[in-house]
């Protein structure tokens, strides 16, 4: 009851628009330790917005911590200040006047109201795969004449990047199977450049500042790398978006070059056979029929792999092209400009804007969702701590930031009728279950007055066994299903506290059955180590942390638990403990978890995920010394690299592994920072 009461108090703080300016001396009451600290809370005004959109916005002024005597309280202050800084960055990137009117920002984030000048923003690693595709786009004159003398590149800087940014290994995207698609696309781009330039090849190279010798060196290193990587590859070990159609397409295109490039590898025949089967399953005419009915289509994201399968001139219309000129992705947009006979000014302009902004081309809706998802976990733990003063200015600033973001997300849901897609400006991409579930959960968690239409989610994504990623698709994501069940349980609790009718009882009996079926589905996807592998993230800890959090929460829903394969609370604990024991067994000697980073055995992202997992474990096994020791070691590791992670803008690009999946691996620094902050706060309060 205390938690519910305090949660309500925090919601009341969220409802207040708390704006403080200038300097103030305040007492910080966290962990029952009173310390004096000078707090600088930024004004939510235009000057503040310009400050945070400058190149210096990621720097953190730690001067205010010097007066704090307690290291624990000092770190709490740092965590909250870093969190507030992160929330400000996300908000400002969403809309220039976000603090003035977040609802207005939402109205300018989607479809007809979208500002098409904003092709997307955020913080994400560069995509060699997309760069290689954009590098192949010729100028309109060459598309018209097909004469080598007229051949130039529309974006020569992209080819220059390929020729100057190759790793020593010969890759453009690190090593292993995840590098296959970007390296194949890079090789095809170089081969197409040589083929199209013909007799003018060396002259065209000199025009962009490179010699024939340098070109040949880069090309040969890439081929050597690819031969080695494909020979070592087990095709069953990877499931990236569009991988089964993109990679075979690139292999076939390289074989058509003059001279051709052939790659033979152990599973090639089986892989190409599977590709042919999947291509034949694509209902081409049905896709055009759905597009004619203005239905968004997920396949647009991988349109480039359909060169030769469909006539891309047929997609050059508003049924496929987004409001800002794109076709699903930069690579898909490039494919239309490469293959369709007619030049597309809108598509070209979209790519030109992205290139001019370099790596900042991720939708902030996706980034905002995950940052707030991590921050909400931290906030809920703050609420649980009875000694935390929710009226403290730092927490009031956090509540003001969250209030803006909740209002923003609420307006988005109202506009899109409770289902959401990951990007605002691409109105041809369908809403996905992950964004839909998480945004609804966050809004209802922080604004109890907001109600959602559960039926819309069920009708759009439920297939009788689990929730699909996109409507009409046959693929699924374990973590997405976890998010949907978490939302349904939250909504179920809200309904139970209200007056019920016979109709409501029947409806929620059906939903209870869906919840149980989905939980059984999630359980069925565990591997031999009792962890989960998902299609969004390489690390098992991303999905395992979320799944164990969900499963252990079923203690509060014993009627649901009894209808699942687990059935009893003891069986639940026994089941979850296997995953936790595995996590304990693979912690590195330096306290980290996961793949190696530039200078340590493990990395910050996976360590933060496992620490968050073990924090839940510690709540359920409070006397377990091994769990507490692992948390402490993980905390020490995170703290050792904390300042560098929060202040060095290149830290996650240069020193940390890329663990997020698309057509290649990428990283999202702001989301990783939010996970680290959530992990550290939880650890401090659990001691």
């Amino acid at each position: 009851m205390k938690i519910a009461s305090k949660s309500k108090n925090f919601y009341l703080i969220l409802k207040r628009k708390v704006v403080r300016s200038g300097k103030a001396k305040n007492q910080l009451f966290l962990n029952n330790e009173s310390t004096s600290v000078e707090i600088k809370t930024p004004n939510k005004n235009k000057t503040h917005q310009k400050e945070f959109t400058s190149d210096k916005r990621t720097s953190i002024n730690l001067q205010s911590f010097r007066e704090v005597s307690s290291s624990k309280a000092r770190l709490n202050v740092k965590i909250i200040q870093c969190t507030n800084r992160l929330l400000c960055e996300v908000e400002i990137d969403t809309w220039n006047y976000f603090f003035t009117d977040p609802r207005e920002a939402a109205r300018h984030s989607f479809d007809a109201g979208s500002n098409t000048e904003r092709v997307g923003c955020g913080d994400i690693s560069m995509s060699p795969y997309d760069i290689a595709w954009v590098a192949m786009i010729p100028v309109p004159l060459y598309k018209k004449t097909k004469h080598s003398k007229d051949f130039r590149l529309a974006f020569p800087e992209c080819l220059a990047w390929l020729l100057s940014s190759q790793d020593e290994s010969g890759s453009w995207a690190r090593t292993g199977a995840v590098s296959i698609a970007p390296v194949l696309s890079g090789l095809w781009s170089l081969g197409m450049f040589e083929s199209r330039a013909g007799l003018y090849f060396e002259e065209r190279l000199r025009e962009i500042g490179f010699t024939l010798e340098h070109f040949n060196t880069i090309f040969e290193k890439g081929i050597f790398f690819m031969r080695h990587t494909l020979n070592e590859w087990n095709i069953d070990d990877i499931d990236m978006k569009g991988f089964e159609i993109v990679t075979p397409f690139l292999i076939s295109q390289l074989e058509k070059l003059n001279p051709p490039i052939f790659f033979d590898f152990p599973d090639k025949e089986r892989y190409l056979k599977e590709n042919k089967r999947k291509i034949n399953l694509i209902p081409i005419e049905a896709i055009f029929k759905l597009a004619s009915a203005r239905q968004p289509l997920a396949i647009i994201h991988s349109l480039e792999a359909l060169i030769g399968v469909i006539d891309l001139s047929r997609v050059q219309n508003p049924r496929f092209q987004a409001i800002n000129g794109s076709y699903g992705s930069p690579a898909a947009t490039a494919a239309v400009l490469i293959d369709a006979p007619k030049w597309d000014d809108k598509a070209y302009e979209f790519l030109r804007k992205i290139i001019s902004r370099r790596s900042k081309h991720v939708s902030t809706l996706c980034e905002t969702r995950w940052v707030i998802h991590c921050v909400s976990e931290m906030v809920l733990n703050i609420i649980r701590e009875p000694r935390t003063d929710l009226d403290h200015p730092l927490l009031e600033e956090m509540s003001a930031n969250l209030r803006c973001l909740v209002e923003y997300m609420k307006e988005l849901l109202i506009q899109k009728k409770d289902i959401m897609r990951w990007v605002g400006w691409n109105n041809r991409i369908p809403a996905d279950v992950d964004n839909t579930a998480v945004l609804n959960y966050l809004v209802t968690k922080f604004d109890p007055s907001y109600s959602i239409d559960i039926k819309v989610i069920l009708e759009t994504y439920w297939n009788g066994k689990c929730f699909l990623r996109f409507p009409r698709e046959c693929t699924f994501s374990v973590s997405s299903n976890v998010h949907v069940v978490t939302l349904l349980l939250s909504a179920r609790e809200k309904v139970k506290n209200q007056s019920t009718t016979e109709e409501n009882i029947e409806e929620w009996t059906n939903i209870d059955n869906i919840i149980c079926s989905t939980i059984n589905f999630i359980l069925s996807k565990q591997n031999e180590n009792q962890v989960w592998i998902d299609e969004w993230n390489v690390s098992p800890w991303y999905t395992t942390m979320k799944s164990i959090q969900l499963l252990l929460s079923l203690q509060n829903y014993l009627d649901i638990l009894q209808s699942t394969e687990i059935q009893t609370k003891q069986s639940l604990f026994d089941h979850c403990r296997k995953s936790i024991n595995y996590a304990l067994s693979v912690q590195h000697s330096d306290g980290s978890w996961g793949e190696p980073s530039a200078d340590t055995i493990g990395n910050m992202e996976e360590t933060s995920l496992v620490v968050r997992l073990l924090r839940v474990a510690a709540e359920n096994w409070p006397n377990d010394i091994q769990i507490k020791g692992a948390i402490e070691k993980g905390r020490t590791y995170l703290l050792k690299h904390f300042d560098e992670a929060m202040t060095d803008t290149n830290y996650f690009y240069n020193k940390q592994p890329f663990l997020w999946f698309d057509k290649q691996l990428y990283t999202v620094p702001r989301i990783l920072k939010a996970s680290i902050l959530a992990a550290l706060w939880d650890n401090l309060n659990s001691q």
Side-chain angles (χ1 to χ4, degrees):
M1 295 301 293
K2 289 183 179 178
I3 292 175
S5 176
K6 199 162 190 182
S7 177
K8 185 176 181 180
N9 290 340
F10 193 81
Y11 173 67
L12 292 175
I13 294 176
L14 277 179
K15 293 284 284 184
R16 300 199 305 259
K17 185 172 182 179
V18 182
V19 180
R20 293 172 181 262
S21 62
K23 300 179 180 179
K25 288 282 184 177
N26 297 280
Q27 292 297 110
L28 179 63
F29 297 102
L30 299 176
N31 292 300
N32 208 29
E33 294 181 351
S34 175
T35 57
S36 178
V37 57
E38 183 179 290
I39 299 165
K40 296 181 180 179
T41 305
N43 284 321
K44 307 296 190 290
N45 54 30
K46 294 180 182 179
T47 303
H48 170 59
Q49 292 160 7
K50 292 178 180 178
E51 173 191 349
F52 276 88
T53 52
S54 71
D55 292 335
K56 296 180 179 179
R57 66 184 177 191
T58 53
S59 64
I60 298 173
N61 181 7
L62 303 181
Q63 180 69 28
S64 60
F65 302 135
R66 292 181 178 176
E67 298 177 41
V68 183
S69 59
S70 166
S71 61
K72 186 178 291 188
R74 182 166 65 248
L75 184 56
N76 273 339
V77 172
K78 185 187 289 190
I79 289 169
I80 297 175
Q81 286 200 335
C82 288
T83 302
N84 284 335
R85 171 75 58 145
L86 193 59
L87 292 177
C88 287
E89 288 182 3
V90 170
E91 290 172 337
I92 293 302
D93 264 358
T94 303
W95 186 252
N96 289 337
Y97 302 101
F98 192 95
F99 290 113
T100 305
D101 191 346
R103 291 186 178 182
E104 184 66 15
R107 297 182 191 108
H108 287 277
S109 296
F110 268 82
D111 301 341
S114 177
N115 180 355
T116 56
E117 289 296 312
R118 297 176 63 80
V119 296
C121 50
D123 197 7
I124 188 173
S125 53
M126 292 184 72
S127 170
Y129 175 83
D130 289 297
I131 289 172
W133 273 93
V134 176
M136 281 185 267
I137 302 172
V139 294
L141 179 61
Y142 176 79
K143 285 178 67 69
K144 190 178 296 184
T145 67
K146 302 295 183 183
H147 292 154
S148 296
K149 66 180 178 63
D150 297 325
F151 176 70
R152 299 288 192 288
L153 294 176
F155 298 100
E157 60 268 47
C158 290
L159 191 79
W161 186 89
L162 289 173
L163 291 171
S164 60
S165 302
Q166 190 182 52
D167 299 338
E168 282 299 315
S169 64
S171 172
W172 287 279
R174 306 197 177 191
T175 59
V178 294
S179 66
I180 291 173
V183 174
L184 286 175
S185 62
L187 290 173
W188 187 37
S189 184
L190 296 177
M192 289 289 284
F193 179 82
E194 181 177 9
S195 174
R196 288 171 168 175
L199 297 174
Y200 299 89
F201 175 48
E202 289 191 59
E203 181 181 336
R204 297 294 175 262
L205 270 178
R206 287 195 296 271
E207 288 174 0
I208 59 175
F210 294 93
T211 64
L212 177 61
E213 181 182 9
H214 180 82
F215 180 93
N216 288 337
T217 299
I218 297 298
F219 208 0
E220 290 165 8
K221 281 177 65 177
I223 292 171
F224 179 82
F225 171 85
M226 201 73 270
R227 291 197 198 285
H228 173 76
T229 302
L230 287 171
N231 280 326
E232 297 291 320
W233 178 37
N234 179 348
I235 67 171
D236 298 316
D237 285 347
I238 189 168
D239 182 22
M240 296 172 72
K241 295 179 181 61
F243 200 79
E244 70 277 15
I245 60 174
V246 166
T247 301
F249 168 78
L250 291 169
I251 290 172
S252 68
Q253 293 304 304
L254 286 165
E255 292 177 352
K256 295 176 183 178
L257 292 175
N258 187 20
I261 301 173
F262 292 97
F263 292 109
D264 292 314
F265 51 96
D267 282 330
K268 181 177 181 179
E269 185 177 346
R270 180 163 72 96
Y271 189 50
L272 295 181
K273 184 178 179 180
E274 178 64 11
N275 166 254
K276 186 175 181 180
R277 184 186 73 84
K278 290 196 174 184
I279 289 292
N280 290 335
L281 289 175
I282 298 175
I284 302 299
E285 292 308 316
I287 288 172
F288 283 101
K289 186 176 181 179
L290 287 169
S292 297
R294 307 295 292 180
Q295 291 291 321
L297 299 163
I299 198 170
I300 294 175
H301 187 66
S302 299
L303 202 58
E304 69 273 15
L306 299 182
I307 288 179
V309 178
I310 65 174
D311 178 3
L312 289 186
S313 65
R314 293 180 67 188
V315 309
Q316 289 183 294
N317 56 69
R319 295 186 294 275
F320 286 89
Q321 190 173 31
I323 52 177
N324 67 345
S326 70
Y327 291 92
S329 68
T333 306
V336 174
L337 285 165
I338 292 166
D339 193 64
K342 181 182 176 182
W343 183 255
D344 192 323
D345 287 325
K346 285 184 66 178
Y348 169 80
E349 189 61 20
F350 165 78
L351 292 173
R352 185 192 64 77
K353 291 173 184 174
I354 283 182
I355 296 301
S356 67
R357 297 172 192 185
R358 300 183 183 272
S359 65
K360 294 183 178 289
H361 56 79
V362 68
S363 162
T364 51
L365 175 58
C366 181
E367 183 183 60
T368 300
R369 175 194 68 182
W370 291 123
V371 168
I372 303 308
H373 203 228
C374 292
V375 170
S376 68
E377 182 180 317
M378 184 177 75
V379 168
L380 293 174
N381 277 285
I382 289 173
I383 294 170
R384 292 189 186 102
E385 171 56 60
R387 295 165 293 182
T388 302
D389 177 13
L390 296 180
D391 289 321
H392 186 275
L394 275 179
L395 294 180
E396 285 187 334
E397 181 186 356
M398 183 187 292
S399 72
N401 289 330
L402 279 173
R403 185 200 65 82
C404 289
L405 282 158
V406 169
E407 291 299 313
Y408 172 75
M409 292 186 290
K410 188 197 307 183
E411 182 63 29
L412 291 176
L413 289 171
I414 292 171
Q415 285 188 50
K416 306 309 295 179
K417 298 179 181 179
D418 292 328
I419 59 173
M420 295 296 299
R421 61 178 185 261
W422 68 272
V423 65
W425 42 260
N426 195 333
N427 58 317
R428 307 314 306 143
I429 293 291
D432 65 272
V433 74
D434 217 16
N435 274 285
T436 294
V438 171
L439 258 70
N440 275 288
Y441 173 79
L442 290 172
V443 171
T444 54
K445 201 69 178 176
F446 288 107
D447 186 352
S449 65
Y450 184 79
S451 59
I452 59 174
D453 187 353
I454 295 294
K455 289 182 182 178
V456 172
I457 297 173
L458 300 181
E459 291 170 359
T460 307
Y461 302 107
W462 175 248
N463 74 343
K465 181 181 179 181
C466 65
F467 289 91
L468 304 177
R469 294 182 311 162
F470 295 100
R472 296 181 296 275
E473 277 204 336
C474 58
T475 57
F476 60 85
S477 157
V478 175
S479 61
S480 298
N481 276 269
V482 170
H483 293 144
V484 179
V485 173
T486 303
L487 170 66
L488 293 178
L489 288 173
S490 178
R492 179 182 187 267
E493 195 67 20
K494 182 178 178 181
V495 169
K496 284 181 67 176
N497 294 330
Q498 298 171 348
S499 58
T500 57
T501 63
E502 188 173 331
E503 183 180 351
N504 283 340
I505 293 172
E506 182 179 350
E507 178 185 351
W508 278 95
T509 299
N510 178 50
I511 292 175
D512 283 355
N513 292 332
I514 289 173
I515 291 172
C516 293
S517 296
T518 309
I519 289 170
N520 288 335
F521 168 79
I522 292 168
L523 291 169
S524 72
K525 296 303 175 181
Q526 280 179 286
N527 65 18
E528 64 276 6
N529 293 320
Q530 298 301 302
V531 297
W532 287 264
I533 303 294
D534 206 6
E535 62 175 15
W536 302 124
N537 198 288
V538 175
S539 174
W541 303 120
Y542 173 78
T543 306
T544 301
M545 180 266 294
K546 294 174 179 293
S547 299
I548 294 299
Q549 284 180 338
L550 169 65
L551 291 176
L552 287 173
S553 75
L554 295 180
Q555 303 171 64
N556 303 317
Y557 308 96
L558 291 179
D559 53 337
I560 292 288
L561 180 62
Q562 290 166 3
S563 300
T564 68
E565 293 175 359
I566 294 178
Q567 296 187 337
T568 68
K569 186 174 178 180
Q570 186 57 52
S571 296
L572 175 67
F573 272 53
D574 292 343
H575 188 93
C576 292
R577 186 67 203 217
K578 293 176 183 178
S579 303
I580 292 160
N581 286 342
Y582 180 70
L584 295 171
S585 72
V586 295
Q587 186 175 28
H588 299 309
S589 57
D590 64 351
S592 66
W593 278 272
E595 294 185 10
S597 50
D599 51 7
T600 67
I601 308 173
N603 63 79
M604 294 287 278
E605 177 177 359
E606 291 184 272
T607 302
S608 72
L609 294 171
V610 182
V611 167
R612 289 164 65 191
L613 164 65
L614 293 182
R615 187 257 306 165
V616 177
E619 293 174 0
N620 290 276
W621 287 271
N623 299 319
D624 192 303
I625 298 174
Q626 191 178 5
I627 292 175
K628 289 183 177 179
I631 291 175
E632 177 59 26
K633 286 180 66 178
R635 170 182 176 271
T636 300
Y637 174 85
L638 292 174
L639 289 174
K640 182 178 179 180
H641 304 278
F642 179 79
D643 286 338
E644 186 178 11
M646 294 296 153
T647 59
D648 183 352
T649 55
N650 293 314
Y651 178 77
F652 291 100
Y653 297 136
N654 298 335
K655 292 191 175 183
Q656 297 289 292
F658 290 8
L659 300 177
W660 289 66
F661 272 138
D662 193 45
K663 296 168 189 173
Q664 63 179 43
L665 292 181
Y666 66 99
T667 189
V668 277
R670 287 178 183 163
I671 297 173
L672 308 192
K673 289 178 183 179
S675 181
I676 293 166
L677 291 166
L680 281 173
W681 181 274
D682 293 339
N683 277 304
L684 287 169
N685 281 336
S686 65
Q687 291 179 0

